[in-house]
mmCIF file of all heavy atoms in Angstrom:
data_model
loop_
_atom_site.group_PDB
_atom_site.id
_atom_site.type_symbol
_atom_site.label_atom_id
_atom_site.label_comp_id
_atom_site.label_asym_id
_atom_site.label_seq_id
_atom_site.Cartn_x
_atom_site.Cartn_y
_atom_site.Cartn_z
ATOM 1 N N ASP A 1103 -2.850 4.986 17.898
ATOM 2 C CA ASP A 1103 -2.764 6.396 18.251
ATOM 3 C C ASP A 1103 -2.814 7.298 17.025
ATOM 4 O O ASP A 1103 -3.111 8.488 17.149
ATOM 5 C CB ASP A 1103 -1.474 6.646 19.042
ATOM 6 C CG ASP A 1103 -1.518 5.966 20.395
ATOM 7 O OD1 ASP A 1103 -1.184 4.765 20.454
ATOM 8 O OD2 ASP A 1103 -1.919 6.604 21.382
ATOM 9 N N ARG A 1104 -2.548 6.735 15.857
ATOM 10 C CA ARG A 1104 -2.658 7.478 14.608
ATOM 11 C C ARG A 1104 -2.595 6.492 13.447
ATOM 12 O O ARG A 1104 -1.930 5.463 13.542
ATOM 13 C CB ARG A 1104 -1.552 8.530 14.466
ATOM 14 C CG ARG A 1104 -1.620 9.377 13.177
ATOM 15 C CD ARG A 1104 -0.620 10.520 13.193
ATOM 16 N NE ARG A 1104 -0.949 11.493 14.213
ATOM 17 C CZ ARG A 1104 -1.793 12.508 14.047
ATOM 18 N NH1 ARG A 1104 -2.398 12.686 12.877
ATOM 19 N NH2 ARG A 1104 -2.019 13.350 15.030
ATOM 20 N N VAL A 1105 -3.305 6.809 12.374
ATOM 21 C CA VAL A 1105 -3.150 6.087 11.107
ATOM 22 C C VAL A 1105 -2.616 7.078 10.082
ATOM 23 O O VAL A 1105 -3.024 8.250 10.060
ATOM 24 C CB VAL A 1105 -4.462 5.448 10.621
ATOM 25 C CG1 VAL A 1105 -4.827 4.252 11.478
ATOM 26 C CG2 VAL A 1105 -5.605 6.445 10.592
ATOM 27 N N VAL A 1106 -1.704 6.598 9.253
ATOM 28 C CA VAL A 1106 -1.052 7.455 8.258
ATOM 29 C C VAL A 1106 -1.187 6.806 6.888
ATOM 30 O O VAL A 1106 -0.694 5.697 6.666
ATOM 31 C CB VAL A 1106 0.442 7.672 8.580
ATOM 32 C CG1 VAL A 1106 1.068 8.607 7.544
ATOM 33 C CG2 VAL A 1106 0.616 8.238 9.986
ATOM 34 N N TYR A 1107 -1.857 7.499 5.977
ATOM 35 C CA TYR A 1107 -2.030 7.035 4.607
ATOM 36 C C TYR A 1107 -0.981 7.716 3.732
ATOM 37 O O TYR A 1107 -0.960 8.938 3.636
ATOM 38 C CB TYR A 1107 -3.430 7.366 4.098
ATOM 39 C CG TYR A 1107 -4.524 6.614 4.826
ATOM 40 C CD1 TYR A 1107 -4.979 7.049 6.066
ATOM 41 C CD2 TYR A 1107 -5.075 5.467 4.282
ATOM 42 C CE1 TYR A 1107 -5.964 6.349 6.756
ATOM 43 C CE2 TYR A 1107 -6.064 4.760 4.954
ATOM 44 C CZ TYR A 1107 -6.502 5.207 6.181
ATOM 45 O OH TYR A 1107 -7.473 4.510 6.866
ATOM 46 N N MET A 1108 -0.121 6.924 3.122
ATOM 47 C CA MET A 1108 0.936 7.459 2.266
ATOM 48 C C MET A 1108 0.559 7.166 0.819
ATOM 49 O O MET A 1108 0.801 6.075 0.302
ATOM 50 C CB MET A 1108 2.281 6.821 2.633
ATOM 51 C CG MET A 1108 2.688 7.038 4.085
ATOM 52 S SD MET A 1108 4.283 6.283 4.512
ATOM 53 C CE MET A 1108 3.884 4.528 4.346
ATOM 54 N N ALA A 1109 -0.085 8.141 0.153
ATOM 55 C CA ALA A 1109 -0.626 7.919 -1.191
ATOM 56 C C ALA A 1109 -1.348 6.584 -1.231
ATOM 57 O O ALA A 1109 -1.080 5.724 -2.066
ATOM 58 C CB ALA A 1109 0.478 7.978 -2.247
ATOM 59 N N ALA A 1110 -2.300 6.418 -0.296
ATOM 60 C CA ALA A 1110 -2.983 5.145 -0.113
ATOM 61 C C ALA A 1110 -4.475 5.301 -0.337
ATOM 62 O O ALA A 1110 -5.044 6.384 -0.155
ATOM 63 C CB ALA A 1110 -2.722 4.614 1.295
ATOM 64 N N TYR A 1111 -5.109 4.199 -0.713
ATOM 65 C CA TYR A 1111 -6.563 4.186 -0.844
ATOM 66 C C TYR A 1111 -7.195 4.304 0.541
ATOM 67 O O TYR A 1111 -6.793 3.612 1.474
ATOM 68 C CB TYR A 1111 -7.027 2.902 -1.535
ATOM 69 C CG TYR A 1111 -6.645 2.849 -2.985
ATOM 70 C CD1 TYR A 1111 -5.479 2.204 -3.397
ATOM 71 C CD2 TYR A 1111 -7.425 3.455 -3.962
ATOM 72 C CE1 TYR A 1111 -5.108 2.158 -4.735
ATOM 73 C CE2 TYR A 1111 -7.074 3.424 -5.304
ATOM 74 C CZ TYR A 1111 -5.912 2.774 -5.681
ATOM 75 O OH TYR A 1111 -5.551 2.745 -7.009
ATOM 76 N N CYS A 1112 -8.182 5.184 0.630
ATOM 77 C CA CYS A 1112 -8.852 5.453 1.908
ATOM 78 C C CYS A 1112 -10.348 5.536 1.622
ATOM 79 O O CYS A 1112 -10.898 6.622 1.411
ATOM 80 C CB CYS A 1112 -8.313 6.742 2.518
ATOM 81 S SG CYS A 1112 -9.050 7.190 4.107
ATOM 82 N N CYS A 1113 -11.003 4.391 1.593
ATOM 83 C CA CYS A 1113 -12.418 4.318 1.201
ATOM 84 C C CYS A 1113 -13.319 4.878 2.310
ATOM 85 O O CYS A 1113 -13.158 4.514 3.479
ATOM 86 C CB CYS A 1113 -12.809 2.879 0.927
ATOM 87 S SG CYS A 1113 -11.814 2.032 -0.307
ATOM 88 N N VAL A 1114 -14.253 5.712 1.917
ATOM 89 C CA VAL A 1114 -15.231 6.250 2.855
ATOM 90 C C VAL A 1114 -16.634 6.178 2.256
ATOM 91 O O VAL A 1114 -17.490 5.432 2.732
ATOM 92 C CB VAL A 1114 -14.885 7.699 3.265
ATOM 93 C CG1 VAL A 1114 -15.963 8.257 4.207
ATOM 94 C CG2 VAL A 1114 -13.526 7.759 3.954
ATOM 95 N N ASP A 1115 -16.895 6.936 1.204
ATOM 96 C CA ASP A 1115 -18.232 6.961 0.606
ATOM 97 C C ASP A 1115 -18.510 5.730 -0.239
ATOM 98 O O ASP A 1115 -19.638 5.225 -0.274
ATOM 99 C CB ASP A 1115 -18.408 8.207 -0.267
ATOM 100 C CG ASP A 1115 -18.498 9.489 0.547
ATOM 101 O OD1 ASP A 1115 -18.522 9.402 1.796
ATOM 102 O OD2 ASP A 1115 -18.521 10.569 -0.071
ATOM 103 N N LEU A 1116 -17.512 5.245 -0.952
ATOM 104 C CA LEU A 1116 -17.675 4.090 -1.827
ATOM 105 C C LEU A 1116 -17.138 2.850 -1.126
ATOM 106 O O LEU A 1116 -16.237 2.945 -0.288
ATOM 107 C CB LEU A 1116 -16.957 4.318 -3.158
ATOM 108 C CG LEU A 1116 -17.405 5.561 -3.944
ATOM 109 C CD1 LEU A 1116 -16.640 5.673 -5.252
ATOM 110 C CD2 LEU A 1116 -18.911 5.533 -4.198
ATOM 111 N N PRO A 1117 -17.673 1.672 -1.457
ATOM 112 C CA PRO A 1117 -17.391 0.493 -0.633
ATOM 113 C C PRO A 1117 -16.005 -0.096 -0.755
ATOM 114 O O PRO A 1117 -15.503 -0.705 0.195
ATOM 115 C CB PRO A 1117 -18.447 -0.518 -1.093
ATOM 116 C CG PRO A 1117 -18.783 -0.104 -2.495
ATOM 117 C CD PRO A 1117 -18.700 1.397 -2.480
ATOM 118 N N ASN A 1118 -15.373 0.054 -1.917
ATOM 119 C CA ASN A 1118 -14.105 -0.656 -2.095
ATOM 120 C C ASN A 1118 -13.195 0.077 -3.071
ATOM 121 O O ASN A 1118 -13.603 1.049 -3.726
ATOM 122 C CB ASN A 1118 -14.349 -2.089 -2.574
ATOM 123 C CG ASN A 1118 -15.230 -2.164 -3.814
ATOM 124 O OD1 ASN A 1118 -15.029 -1.423 -4.773
ATOM 125 N ND2 ASN A 1118 -16.214 -3.057 -3.809
ATOM 126 N N LEU A 1119 -11.985 -0.414 -3.166
ATOM 127 C CA LEU A 1119 -10.970 0.179 -4.047
ATOM 128 C C LEU A 1119 -11.458 0.213 -5.489
ATOM 129 O O LEU A 1119 -11.314 1.233 -6.176
ATOM 130 C CB LEU A 1119 -9.683 -0.635 -3.920
ATOM 131 C CG LEU A 1119 -8.414 -0.190 -4.627
ATOM 132 C CD1 LEU A 1119 -7.213 -0.878 -3.985
ATOM 133 C CD2 LEU A 1119 -8.418 -0.467 -6.123
#
Side-chain angles (χ1 to χ4, degrees):
D1103 293 85
R1104 181 172 294 274
V1105 288
V1106 182
Y1107 294 81
M1108 302 180 294
Y1111 291 95
C1112 180
C1113 304
V1114 178
D1115 289 355
L1116 302 181
N1118 53 46
L1119 185 161

